[in-house]
């Protein structure tokens, strides 16, 4: 097998540059993305957030696909969309986690928004009804990223929904408490300014 990278990663940077990863071989791309996500998780656990971001981003490139919507592709693409709906949102939530660690909250918000879009867009296709904002990890990460951007109204909206879904999660409770305190401090500063 190919050994392209020093860390043992056998995958080309882009799926189209790798054998057997063309548009009609989406299941191969999903398998590659799962492997890359696992490598990213290992780097994340070790605290190497830059390397984790590289693996997660590469995995995202393997999972993203422009669907043709041609009648002759409909059956295959329905299955591919279901695969994408299962694999891409958790990867994007991992990407958001690493971007928060790298202090890139705007990009983390964008990753969460894309995950939300895929979950909602693929709901009926994948046979799952995904109500808006029902992924507690996504809400938690996006809420933290909004707080880093000092967008406390958005942060509180996401973190309160996350807490409703995960009432016993200490991380969510802590992030919510911190955002509430930051919001209160901002209101106090604004009152003093007037």
């Amino acid at each position: 097998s190919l050994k392209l990278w020093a860390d043992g990663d056998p995958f080309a940077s882009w799926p189209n540059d790798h054998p057997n990863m063309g548009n009609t071989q989406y299941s191969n791309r999903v398998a590659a993305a799962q492997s890359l996500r696992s490598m990213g998780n290992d780097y994340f656990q070790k605290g190497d957030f830059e390397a984790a971001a590289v693996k997660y981003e590469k995995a995202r490139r393997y999972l993203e696909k422009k669907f043709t919507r041609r009648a002759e592709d409909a059956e295959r693409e329905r299955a591919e969309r279901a695969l994408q709906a299962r694999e891409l949102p958790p990867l994007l939530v991992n990407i958001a986690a690493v971007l928060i660690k790298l202090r890139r909250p705007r990009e983390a918000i964008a990753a969460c928004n894309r995950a939300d879009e895929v979950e909602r867009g693929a709901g009926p296709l994948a046979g799952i009804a995904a109500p808006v904002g029902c992924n507690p990890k996504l809400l938690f990460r996006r809420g933290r990223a909004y707080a880093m951007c000092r967008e406390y109204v958005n942060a509180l909206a996401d973190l309160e929904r996350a807490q409703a879904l995960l009432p016993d999660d200490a991380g969510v409770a802590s992030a919510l408490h911190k955002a509430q305190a930051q919001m209160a401090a901002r209101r106090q500063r604004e009152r003093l300014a007037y």
Side-chain angles (χ1 to χ4, degrees):
S1 88
L2 296 135
K3 282 267 186 278
L4 287 178
W5 312 101
D7 65 1
D9 175 352
F11 303 106
S13 293
W14 296 88
N16 293 342
D17 297 336
H18 197 88
N20 307 317
M21 298 286 174
N23 259 358
T24 58
Q25 295 150 315
Y26 192 69
S27 60
N28 293 356
R29 290 169 57 169
V30 169
Q34 289 169 337
S35 181
L36 290 162
R37 180 179 171 197
S38 175
M39 290 178 206
N41 291 346
D42 290 343
Y43 280 122
F44 191 92
Q45 242 88 66
K46 293 176 193 157
D48 189 344
F49 304 121
E50 288 289 345
V54 168
K55 294 303 175 194
Y56 289 154
E57 196 49 44
K58 190 194 235 184
R60 185 192 60 74
R61 289 195 296 269
Y62 275 71
L63 288 174
E64 290 284 8
K65 177 182 176 176
K66 296 234 184 306
F67 294 101
T68 66
R69 299 197 159 116
R70 289 194 308 249
E72 62 270 25
D73 297 333
E75 202 52 49
R76 189 189 77 238
E77 289 194 347
R78 187 175 297 113
E80 290 172 351
R81 282 175 188 272
L83 267 177
Q84 187 184 63
R86 188 185 77 207
E87 297 292 328
L88 189 55
L91 173 69
L92 289 163
V93 171
N94 284 11
I95 289 173
V98 88
L99 290 169
I100 288 167
K101 293 283 188 190
L102 294 171
R103 314 227 30 91
R104 289 158 53 189
R106 286 268 163 241
E107 293 168 73
I109 292 165
C112 288
N113 289 342
R114 174 73 179 122
D116 200 30
E117 175 190 307
V118 172
E119 282 183 351
R120 283 185 290 135
L125 289 164
I128 45 169
V132 178
C134 67
N135 180 334
K137 258 188 178 175
L138 183 157
L139 294 167
F140 171 57
R141 303 260 160 81
R142 190 171 63 189
R144 286 187 59 207
Y146 275 132
M148 288 171 78
C149 295
R150 296 185 170 86
E151 292 181 27
Y152 300 119
V153 172
N154 290 336
L156 290 173
D158 277 352
L159 292 169
E160 285 166 359
R161 289 207 324 257
Q163 188 170 50
L165 295 165
L166 295 173
D168 301 325
D169 189 299
V172 173
S174 170
L176 177 59
H177 181 74
K178 185 176 174 186
Q180 288 167 332
Q182 289 168 321
M183 178 90 161
R186 169 186 276 175
R187 285 198 176 126
Q188 182 64 24
R189 282 193 303 276
E190 286 168 356
R191 269 198 296 278
L192 293 172
Y194 291 116

